[in-house]
Amino acid sequence: MVTVSFPDRTWRDDVGPIEGITPVVWDPQASPPGEDVEVFVAPYMAPSDQIAVVADAPTVRLVQLLSAGADVALPVVPQDVAIANAKGVHDAATAELTVGLVLASQRGFDEFARAQAKGEWLPRHFRRGLADHRVLLLGYGSVGRAIAERLAPFEVSLTAVASRARDGDDLVDRVHGIDELAELVPEHDILLSVLPGTDATAGILDDALLAAMPDGALVCNVGRGNALVTEDALRHTGRLRFALDVTDPEPLPSDHPLWSEPGVIISPHTGGVTEAFRPRMVALLREQLRRVAAGDEPLNLVAR
């Protein structure tokens, strides 16, 4: 039998019984259970200190995250303990939010909301929309592809960029390498970042890159906040627009100037927070734990 800890009783009960698995509850903010836990299911969006507790549990051999990103876990999980993420679970919800943020900015929903609060009927004028615009998608993994699928009906011109160039698929003719980014940026009206949080991606959207974007272009970040250099973004507000589900720092302090800059829409890191999350995550956990109980290699292992 493999002992698996869940962050609370609701996760344990929703996953239900699985042959070969002994479920226990371990809230990482409380004392560890008496059992020798082998698989630690972390709370959703847990900070590093709530994952670091596995360093004091020598029997843990797998940390299962409920998020797609693993950046908070990598520095605190011992090297001999495997980490698995929730790849695929958040794709649809994050893609929905991405399209929603882009449409909100392109069509002026933020202006409409402010006007509604004042009972003001704004004059009509032509807005950017999505059709016939050039979109640069930075990050073409499972979330990036989900975004591409949802953008296809909007009749955009889509360019995908990943860490390395490769052949395209049914959605894009070619996937460009990150080394081509500087050349591609000036040719696009909208930049979407779904980059993970790594040393290689930190600060990639800096002053030089933002300066190369056309006037009025939109930067939408739904990946990790530190991909965009906040101080550099502030230098370009007014000329560029920003739609951000993630920020650096995060949470964004209430007195931060980014809140009140023109052309900026901010959502509170809510990309995966829809009703689709729970049943999809439960299904992944059940499959993952069946594999663990059978001695098979876990799904979605994070390379390090």
Side-chain angles (χ1 to χ4, degrees), residues 123-276:
R124 289 189 297 271
H125 65 269
F126 286 95
R127 296 180 182 270
R128 293 176 175 87
L130 260 177
D132 303 332
H133 280 73
R134 304 164 299 174
V135 178
L136 184 61
L137 179 55
L138 186 51
Y140 199 61
S142 63
V143 175
R145 183 175 163 79
I147 293 170
E149 289 174 335
R150 285 156 179 79
L151 284 175
F154 287 96
E155 302 175 29
V156 301
S157 171
L158 182 66
T159 304
V161 177
S163 56
R164 291 178 297 277
R166 61 178 188 262
D167 292 337
D169 54 23
D170 58 316
L171 296 170
V172 294
D173 294 333
R174 176 178 175 235
V175 179
H176 296 260
I178 197 71
D179 56 319
E180 303 174 69
L181 185 58
E183 301 172 13
L184 293 169
V185 163
E187 305 300 321
H188 290 81
D189 312 300
I190 300 169
L191 186 152
L192 310 179
S193 175
V194 291
L195 293 172
T198 68
D199 292 341
T201 61
I204 195 169
L205 305 180
D206 59 7
D207 185 69
L209 184 141
L210 297 174
M213 298 193 71
D215 289 350
L218 170 65
V219 176
C220 178
N221 188 7
V222 296
R224 283 296 180 264
N226 66 355
L228 174 66
V229 181
T230 303
E231 292 305 313
D232 292 349
L234 286 168
R235 281 192 279 272
H236 289 273
T237 53
R239 188 182 76 83
L240 302 178
R241 294 167 298 121
F242 296 86
L244 309 174
D245 187 48
V246 289
T247 60
D248 185 23
E250 190 175 301
L252 196 66
S254 59
D255 60 349
H256 198 283
L258 198 59
W259 285 113
S260 56
E261 286 295 307
V264 177
I265 298 176
I266 299 172
S267 57
H269 201 155
T270 189
V273 189
T274 74
E275 292 178 351

Side-chain angles (χ1 to χ4, degrees), residues 14-44:
D14 284 355
V15 170
I18 298 173
E19 186 176 354
I21 296 296
T22 299
V24 298
V25 173
W26 182 2
D27 176 354
Q29 298 185 82
S31 300
E35 296 85 352
D36 289 336
V37 172
E38 296 172 74
V39 178
F40 173 84
V41 178
Y44 181 50

Side-chain angles (χ1 to χ4, degrees), residues 54-76:
V54 300
D56 298 321
T59 56
V60 172
R61 54 189 173 93
L62 174 65
V63 170
Q64 173 65 59
L65 303 175
L66 305 186
S67 59
D71 44 304
V72 296
L74 290 170
V76 298

